[in-house]
Amino acid sequence: IPLERFRNFCIVAHVDHGKSTLSDRLLELTGTIEKGNNKQILDKLDVERERGITVKAQTCTMLYKHKGQDYLFNLVDTPGHVDFRAEVMSSFRSSDSAILLVDASQGVQAQTVANFFLAFAQGLQLIPVLNKIDLPSSDPERALDQMKTHFEIDPESAVSVSAKTGHNVDCILPAVIEQTTPPTGSSEKPLKMLLVDSWYDTYKGVILLVRIFDGVLKPGDNIYSFGTKKKYQIQEVGIMYPLETSTRSLRAGQIGYCYPGMKNVSDAKIGDSFTTVGMEDEVEACEGFEEPKPMVFVGAYPADQGDFNRLDDSIRQLVTNDRSVTLEKESSQALGQGWRMGFLGTLHASVFQDRLRQEHGGALIITAPTVPYMLRYADGREVIISNPAEFPDGEGHHTARPDRLEPYVLATITLPEEYLGKVIELCESNRGVQEELTFWTSQQVILKYKLPLAQLVSDFFGKLKGISKGYASLDYEDAGYEKSDIVRLQLLVNKEPVDAICQVMHRSMTQYAGKQWVSKFKEFVQRELFEVVIQAAVGNKIVARETVKAVRKDVTAKLYGGDRTRRMKLLEKQKDGRKKLQSIGRVTIEQKSFQGFLSKT
Ligand code: GDP
Ligand code: MG
């Protein structure tokens, strides 16, 4: 099939608008998969299927006859979630066009807006498709109107379908052929390819999904990575049809897989470019490669330290399959040895936590998520701190005190107008700064807020869904670090800091969090013969305090009715005794209490 009859496209959609269902229909229509075998072939991982979201992008090649000629399509699936921005971008870069899929009953939503602008900026040719027109609540006119006013899309070019019933789906590929141009590039030029996705196969090792822009890739070729400067020899190449099907070569314009004999998944950097060894000075790498950084951190500890080695093995295994998770060992006086894991965003973290819980149940204690903070020194040096224990304590009136910064995101929220008041309130109470407010149809509003990422990780999304009865949708992008009054809140028991219980947060949160901490921790402290004081402090300043009263042995019981002075004396004595105990006694808090406290916060 000549290059003019290639089309590489992806589907841009808000979550649940029917991307997976439509992909399945297209695969059936082209005979790539059997009809009825619609297990949403592009959503490979179990967790995804469970949560109904696509986390890893999967691509598929399809063959199609149109007006007597054979066409070759590559459908690049894009992850449906905002945390996977790097993967979304590399799907876009590997495609020449995109289907802009909108649920006609819901209209344009936050992710549609965010992804539209990303795809548009990439220069993708867009084909509007309205889905779910079988639903009585669908309103294609309104959806088209939104697309016309905000995306300047011609309603004439739109295709209306029902991915569920298959109605009109056969009009989509002809529209792709007619409304979009084939890939450019030349098989005669030196190799230039983009790494779109990668995964790990127990038998074959790392597998790369690549888009060939120029040149030809075949087994035996030696390739060079611009990102890591490492070299590999290709063992096999092929197309996803729908699973790995080997071919003799991949040429310019194609999307397919290869086995580069790569040992570590971490060397497969999404968005990286490759060329043939020796051509690295001739060929220019694809633009826009950025290594994703973990933005949400979670600590995990074995409930029973004896389990450490076993859990360590299996956590490493899980991480091998998701190269975007970072893993470090961490130890805490209270909880023993454990791990600190970094994730791309809040959903990414919660998907992974679900997997851990699924596999290890009660065997793991998982701590509340935190975000990385930054210290900027007078000399311009910047240090990122992702472990609260390393955040400078106290208010320290040193002149060299560094500036403290926290990560922000720019959130795009779409919602029906009737919830506007409540949503603004939610954003404001989460230290948000309004950037934009657009009324774009009679009922829909687009709201843009700059929000601290730390606020987003504490169930902002759940609250947003709650107050808008599920109608508000959210997407966000990185907005960099900004100066902020952040401090470390520390739990103290009888004046001793408890190392496992400290967290970096905005000063305005410390009062509230401190009160919660001390009252919660109180539940886990056994009464002792002496008084136990639980405090939450920012530096030297105590923001909350609770006392667990001593168990009072009733030394006077026997003296009931006895003379009063004798009784007083005994009580005095007891007080002294208690004092002694208190000063020498250190509270021993069982590990179970820490676990209870930390898994509850
Ligand atoms: P994705 O998140 O974009 O991949 O969406 P899915 O393909 O998983 O679809 C989300 C839900 O919408 C599923 O319950 C589908 O069965 C349903 N759905 C998809 N397309 C249609 C359609 O054309 N009509 C109706 N009524 N439901 C649909
Ligand atoms: Mg899906």
Side-chain angles (χ1 to χ4, degrees):
I1 301 175
L3 196 62
E4 304 90 74
R5 297 207 296 270
F6 279 19
R7 293 294 185 278
N8 296 322
F9 70 102
C10 57
I11 304 178
V12 171
H14 187 73
V15 66
D16 280 344
H17 281 199
K19 183 159 56 83
S20 302
T21 312
L22 181 64
S23 305
D24 286 349
R25 284 298 98 72
L26 292 173
L27 297 187
E28 281 171 16
L29 187 92
T30 52
T32 316
I33 58 168
E34 267 171 55
K35 211 169 168 155
N37 185 22
N38 56 351
K39 288 270 147 55
Q40 302 204 336
I41 193 86
L42 300 184
D43 288 357
K44 264 192 185 167
L45 293 166
D46 284 353
V47 170
E48 288 173 14
R49 206 164 292 148
E50 232 159 67
R51 302 185 60 133
I53 48 166
T54 314
V55 172
K56 280 181 68 82
Q58 280 294 303
T59 293
C60 192
T61 300
M62 300 180 278
L63 294 171
Y64 182 71
K65 232 184 180 74
H66 179 65
K67 297 188 174 159
Q69 287 190 307
D70 286 323
Y71 282 82
L72 186 145
F73 289 95
N74 284 302
L75 168 57
V76 186
D77 194 20
T78 49
H81 199 272
V82 295
D83 289 348
F84 299 84
R85 183 73 71 198
E87 294 177 31
V88 172
M89 286 308 283
S90 72
S91 318
F92 287 178
R93 285 197 188 98
S94 67
S95 309
D96 304 300
S97 56
I99 288 178
L100 185 61
L101 185 71
V102 175
D103 178 337
S105 69
Q106 294 207 331
V108 171
Q109 297 287 312
Q111 259 174 282
T112 327
V113 178
N115 283 332
F116 166 81
F117 287 108
L118 281 179
F120 188 75
Q122 282 300 306
L124 295 184
Q125 310 164 66
L126 296 162
I127 305 126
V129 173
L130 293 179
N131 189 28
K132 307 200 187 181
I133 55 162
D134 59 299
L135 290 177
S137 59
S138 84
D139 188 349
E141 295 294 315
R142 183 189 58 155
L144 281 175
D145 196 42
Q146 292 175 337
M147 292 207 248
K148 189 176 166 218
T149 36
H150 290 275
F151 306 153
E152 291 172 6
I153 278 175
D154 175 14
E156 293 291 299
S157 62
V159 186
S160 297
V161 306
S162 166
K164 191 171 173 184
T165 66
H167 176 75
N168 238 6
V169 170
D170 55 353
C171 295
I172 292 179
L173 294 178
V176 174
I177 293 171
E178 271 145 29
Q179 295 181 28
T180 70
T181 53
T184 52
S186 161
S187 295
E188 313 303 317
K189 286 193 188 165
L191 179 71
K192 172 173 172 175
M193 71 180 191
L194 173 75
L195 173 49
V196 184
D197 193 11
S198 73
W199 58 97
Y200 190 80
D201 182 290
T202 328
Y203 301 105
K204 296 156 181 162
V206 180
I207 302 176
L208 308 182
L209 180 76
V210 293
R211 155 82 194 251
I212 316 282
F213 283 99
D214 286 315
V216 176
L217 184 72
K218 29 180 212 326
D221 285 354
N222 290 300
I223 59 164
Y224 169 85
S225 151
F226 283 98
T228 63
K229 311 214 170 342
K230 290 185 182 168
K231 294 170 184 154
Y232 304 95
Q233 189 174 41
I234 300 293
Q235 292 155 11
E236 185 185 315
V237 303
I239 55 172
M240 303 303 292
Y241 189 64
L243 300 174
E244 292 141 42
T245 306
S246 73
T247 57
R248 258 175 292 164
S249 64
L250 289 174
R251 55 197 171 99
Q254 274 195 298
I255 297 176
Y257 74 90
C258 64
Y259 302 158
M262 194 181 271
K263 297 258 156 31
N264 300 313
V265 249
S266 56
D267 283 339
K269 303 199 183 293
I270 301 300
D272 192 4
S273 310
F274 293 82
T275 187
T276 313
V277 170
M279 284 298 173
E280 49 269 34
D281 296 329
E282 318 268 313
V283 172
E284 231 176 281
C286 306
E287 281 169 32
F289 172 54
E290 226 179 289
E291 214 171 319
K293 291 180 286 298
M295 290 310 283
V296 175
F297 292 86
V298 165
Y301 293 87
D304 175 354
Q305 279 292 315
D307 262 355
F308 183 84
N309 288 332
R310 184 178 69 81
L311 289 170
D312 192 49
D313 280 346
S314 84
I315 286 176
R316 267 168 217 291
Q317 195 78 41
L318 268 183
V319 170
T320 311
N321 279 305
D322 185 344
R323 69 185 164 261
S324 42
V325 182
T326 60
L327 182 71
E328 268 173 50
K329 279 200 182 147
E330 180 176 75
S331 65
S332 136
Q333 256 174 44
L335 297 177
Q337 278 235 68
W339 309 267
R340 186 164 190 80
M341 293 179 245
F343 303 94
L344 298 178
T346 50
L347 183 104
H348 184 211
S350 80
V351 167
F352 200 85
Q353 283 177 59
D354 282 357
R355 300 190 75 176
L356 285 176
R357 290 212 178 90
Q358 228 167 44
E359 291 187 21
H360 304 296
L364 274 181
I365 315 288
I366 298 172
T367 65
T370 57
V371 302
Y373 292 94
M374 186 193 275
L375 299 177
R376 186 184 286 150
Y377 292 87
D379 59 5
R381 200 161 44 94
E382 291 178 343
V383 180
I384 300 278
I385 296 199
S386 62
N387 186 346
E390 289 163 14
F391 197 80
D393 186 25
E395 301 297 295
H397 299 288
H398 318 292
T399 41
R401 182 171 179 247
D403 281 337
R404 298 157 180 224
L405 299 88
E406 70 174 320
Y408 274 73
V409 297
L410 181 63
T412 303
I413 303 169
T414 56
L415 65 152
E417 197 188 331
E418 55 185 302
Y419 303 110
L420 186 59
K422 281 186 179 164
V423 171
I424 287 183
E425 218 172 276
L426 177 71
C427 292
E428 300 284 334
S429 69
N430 279 283
R431 302 190 281 125
V433 179
Q434 197 180 102
E435 302 266 306
E436 203 181 303
L437 171 61
T438 322
F439 292 86
W440 69 333
T441 58
S442 46
Q443 306 101 29
Q444 277 289 89
V445 183
I446 305 183
L447 194 55
K448 290 204 174 185
Y449 257 92
K450 206 169 202 182
L451 286 160
L453 180 64
Q455 299 298 125
L456 220 62
V457 304
S458 53
D459 198 33
F460 181 85
F461 194 55
K463 286 178 198 144
L464 178 68
K465 285 278 169 195
I467 58 170
S468 67
K469 303 214 169 75
Y471 284 112
S473 63
L474 170 100
D475 193 297
Y476 65 84
E477 60 194 283
D478 190 11
Y481 279 84
E482 280 187 25
K483 264 207 227 175
S484 178
D485 189 11
I486 45 176
V487 292
R488 188 172 82 178
L489 185 67
Q490 174 73 58
L491 189 86
L492 308 169
V493 172
N494 281 354
K495 308 253 156 80
E496 298 270 353
V498 179
D499 74 332
I501 307 176
C502 69
Q503 204 177 316
V504 179
M505 61 182 75
H506 192 260
R507 193 186 299 277
S508 64
M509 316 286 292
T510 51
Q511 202 88 30
Y512 176 76
K515 284 215 174 77
Q516 277 204 319
W517 282 15
V518 294
S519 70
K520 211 167 248 174
F521 199 73
K522 192 179 170 184
E523 291 171 33
F524 294 103
V525 175
Q526 301 258 315
R527 288 182 75 180
E528 307 263 359
L529 282 171
F530 50 88
E531 197 175 72
V532 177
V533 180
I534 304 162
Q535 294 167 311
V538 172
N540 297 324
K541 196 171 153 245
I542 306 297
V543 298
R545 175 194 163 113
E546 284 273 357
T547 314
V548 181
K549 289 233 165 60
V551 183
R552 190 168 180 232
K553 270 201 253 159
D554 201 351
V555 285
T556 61
K558 278 182 282 186
L559 302 163
Y560 191 70
D563 106 72
R564 196 167 171 271
T565 45
R566 176 116 190 269
R567 206 174 143 189
M568 286 306 289
K569 254 187 207 148
L570 263 167
L571 278 174
E572 282 299 315
K573 220 170 140 193
Q574 190 193 22
K575 228 175 166 181
D576 279 355
R578 270 214 306 266
K579 249 190 205 141
K580 225 174 252 161
L581 246 182
Q582 184 174 7
S583 58
I584 50 163
R586 262 208 67 182
V587 190
T588 33
I589 295 148
E590 278 185 78
Q591 208 199 1
K592 271 215 296 277
S593 311
F594 281 113
Q595 296 180 347
F597 179 84
L598 287 168
S599 55
K600 265 192 171 179
T601 30

